[in-house]
Structures are given as C-alpha cells and as structure tokens.
Amino acid sequence: MNKHYVFSMISKRFLNIKDSVITIIIFGLILFPKENYGQNRLTKLEDGTPIVWVNHWVSTHFISPNPIEYIDLSTDDVLGDIPNKKIARIRPIEAFHSTERDMGYITIIGEGFFQQYRLLYTDDPDLATKKVPLHHSLNPTLRLSQVSLSPSEAIELAKKIWHHKPGFYAVGTKKNRLEIRLNNLYVFGGYLFVDFQIQNKTEIPFTIQQIDYSIDDISKAKATNQQSIPVNPYVELLNNSVFKKFYRNIVIFHQFTLLDSKVLSIRLVEEGLMGRTIKLVIKHRDILNADVP
C-alpha cells in the first residue's frame, strides 16, 4: 500500500477525532455554563453556616416572606441596605483579586427569624450568588418576635443599656468646644435605642432649649432644621435640661429603616445669648450595625 495514502488516512482520522473532541467541548460549554463549575465549591461551613458568594459587580438579594427588621455586616468591605421591607441587598464596595477572600458575616433579623451567612468573595461575577431565599425554619431556636414595650419597660431596658461599654468610637462631632458622640445603638422588638453623650469643654454650663430629632438627606445633613423630617422619640431615659461638663441620654424610637441617602440627626440647641448648637449624625450603616441588647 502506498505509504502516502496510509499517512493521508491516519491524518484524516486524527482530524476527525480532534473535531469530535472540540465538538464535545463546545457542547459542554453550552450545556454546562461556567456558573455550574462553581457547584463543587463550599456551600456551608463545618458548623453548618451557609456560604454566600459575592462580587462587586453583582448585588446579592436576600428575599424574606416576612418583614426584615435589620441586617448586620461584620466588615466595612461590604455595604448593605433594606430597599424593601422584605428584601435585604448587599454588595462589596470594591473589586478584590481573589477567588475565596473572606468577607465576614451578615446577620439578618426579621419577624420570626434570625439567620447568619458567611460571605466569601469571588472574582468572577457569574459565580456570585444573586438571590438567597430566607426560610424561617433555618434557625428555629433563635426565632425572634415583635415585642410591645410599655414606656416603663423601655425605660428599664434603657437603664440596663446604660451600664454597657461604648460600642461606637468614631461617630461624633466637635464644635464650639463641645463634643457629641454616639455610644451605642440597639434594636429590640421593633424599637431603636440610641445612647449618646456630650462633653462640654468650657466653663459655661449648657442649658438645653430644645433637642431636635430628624431624618435628613445626606446632602442636607448640615442644612437648617426646616429641611428635615422630624421624628418623635417613643420615650427618653432622662429629661435633664442643664449640664456643666457632661450630658448623656438614651432615646428610644419605634424602629425605622434608613436608606443609603438618609441619616438620623440629633441636634441640641442652647438657650440664651450663647446659642450654641451641636449635631450628631447617625448614618444608615451605623444603624445596620446596631446590636441586640
């Protein structure tokens, strides 16, 4: 047999095999897109905590059948909000060149449930988790319910909070030798507890004419009170009107949710000719970091 003929036949068979392999690969890419390549990745930690994969190009939504009360993120690398009372949304603030970067935890509390997830970063947006259904049976031993507090019960809980160490250190304002600072934020049973203090570094006592609580746009947080939406406290622990060096109070509100573009403002106005004012601005992220007392 002609050796050129034999070589030609072998070459054709090799090409046919090569074409078949390429065809199989193409069909594999069609039938099994790269989202499925991540199915072998971890879905739970050893203690059973579910894992959610995040990417800075993708918003991950947590969908709940019941209203979500608040979310807590253990890292500043991820932002979150509650755009709808039954939807929580998170996304990393920037890109990370890592396939399994640890992004901490997200804790979600709502009516009748408490759920926690571990966040891991993927550098492939197609592999990020887009939607997470929240099932209330995930942690039945940690279920919470709405609690109706009477004013006296709220005061008693505020007295206990009074003895807690500050959990916030960088939320505050200095002005006219006055310093106002946020100590703690807590949520419980549909109520928001705001613990704040003022230090007067002058020898002139401060007589409080009024305290304004309002929700402002971030862009208007430094504007006049007429551009604010007033909110009324449910109850206040103290009603002191004069202090010389130090003032502290815990104010309880019916719990509300702030958007990214809103802040909670606490503004104190001094009585008399001095007329000093100072304002504490509490951002959306700070409220998301509120703890349970």
Side-chain angles (χ1 to χ4, degrees), residues 219-289:
S219 59
K220 298 179 181 178
K222 297 182 180 180
T224 61
N225 193 49
Q226 285 74 16
Q227 296 175 317
S228 303
I229 301 173
V231 289
N232 296 318
Y234 174 58
V235 68
E236 298 176 79
L237 178 60
L238 302 175
N239 57 3
N240 299 352
S241 59
V242 180
F243 65 95
K244 185 174 182 179
K245 289 295 183 181
F246 186 79
Y247 173 90
R248 183 183 175 191
N249 207 348
I250 297 178
V251 185
I252 301 101
F253 299 91
H254 287 289
Q255 189 178 332
F256 49 83
T257 300
L258 289 179
L259 301 176
D260 284 334
S261 59
K262 302 291 184 179
V263 296
L264 171 63
S265 298
I266 299 176
R267 179 171 173 264
L268 281 82
V269 180
E270 183 183 23
E271 184 181 74
L273 295 177
M274 293 292 293
R276 291 172 291 179
T277 63
I278 192 164
K279 178 187 287 188
L280 174 65
V281 175
I282 302 172
K283 296 182 180 179
H284 163 78
R285 179 188 291 182
D286 300 323
I287 293 181
L288 293 182
N289 285 327

Side-chain angles (χ1 to χ4, degrees), residues 31-169:
L31 295 176
F32 304 99
K34 63 180 177 179
E35 292 96 300
N36 293 333
Y37 292 164
Q39 289 181 347
N40 293 326
R41 298 179 304 167
L42 289 176
T43 58
K44 290 184 179 180
L45 299 178
E46 291 183 359
D47 62 2
T49 303
I51 291 175
V52 171
W53 295 87
V54 295
N55 178 274
H56 79 290
W57 290 112
V58 177
S59 292
T60 300
H61 293 80
F62 298 82
I63 314 298
S64 171
N66 283 357
I68 296 171
E69 292 182 6
Y70 87 106
I71 61 175
D72 175 74
L73 289 160
S74 64
T75 174
D76 292 334
D77 292 332
V78 179
L79 293 180
D81 66 351
I82 305 176
N84 178 286
K85 62 183 180 180
K86 295 184 179 181
I87 298 175
R89 175 177 58 188
I90 63 170
R91 187 167 66 179
I93 60 174
E94 61 179 312
F96 297 96
H97 301 292
S98 174
T99 55
E100 293 188 4
R101 181 186 176 93
D102 183 6
M103 304 296 284
Y105 288 87
I106 178 173
T107 303
I108 304 176
I109 293 181
E111 292 183 9
F113 69 96
F114 174 108
Q115 185 56 39
Q116 193 171 64
Y117 297 87
R118 186 63 170 266
L119 304 179
L120 295 180
Y121 188 86
T122 173
D123 55 4
D124 188 338
D126 291 332
L127 299 182
T129 308
K130 281 76 174 179
K131 182 173 70 173
V132 181
L134 297 175
H135 302 292
H136 296 186
S137 60
L138 289 173
N139 264 329
T141 59
L142 294 173
R143 288 187 178 182
L144 304 177
S145 59
Q146 287 293 97
V147 178
S148 178
L149 295 177
S150 66
S152 60
E153 290 172 331
I155 289 295
E156 287 303 313
L157 184 53
K159 288 180 180 178
K160 294 180 181 179
I161 291 173
W162 185 275
H163 299 288
H164 293 183
K165 294 181 179 179
F168 292 80
Y169 296 95

